[in-house]
Amino acid sequence: RPLLGTGVCGGLTTFSTMQVEIVHMIGGQHYRLAACYAIVSISVGLAAVHMASVLTRRVRSRGLA
């Protein structure tokens, strides 16, 4: 349970930090940088989730988990 709570809180604070940084970039009229930062951050996050899912399925299919 503590791990789940920490993960959820950590995810929310990380997203909030990304949101503040993007707002600052937009406030400084760095629109292209803000867009690239958002796209890359979300893409890398989704890729990490995908890789974790693939690795988890491999471990489960081998009966190790």
Side-chain angles (χ1 to χ4, degrees):
R1 289 184 184 173
L3 181 63
L4 180 62
T6 302
V8 170
C9 290
L12 291 175
T13 57
T14 300
F15 182 75
S16 297
T17 301
M18 184 180 90
Q19 194 173 9
V20 168
E21 289 175 344
I22 290 171
V23 168
H24 282 294
M25 288 178 204
I26 291 171
Q29 297 181 345
H30 300 287
Y31 305 114
R32 199 176 287 172
L33 180 62
C36 288
Y37 179 70
I39 291 167
V40 169
S41 294
I42 293 168
S43 297
V44 169
L46 290 173
V49 169
H50 175 71
M51 286 302 297
S53 297
V54 168
L55 292 173
T56 302
R57 285 187 197 117
R58 283 187 184 174
V59 170
R60 284 188 179 173
S61 67
R62 291 182 184 170
L64 298 175

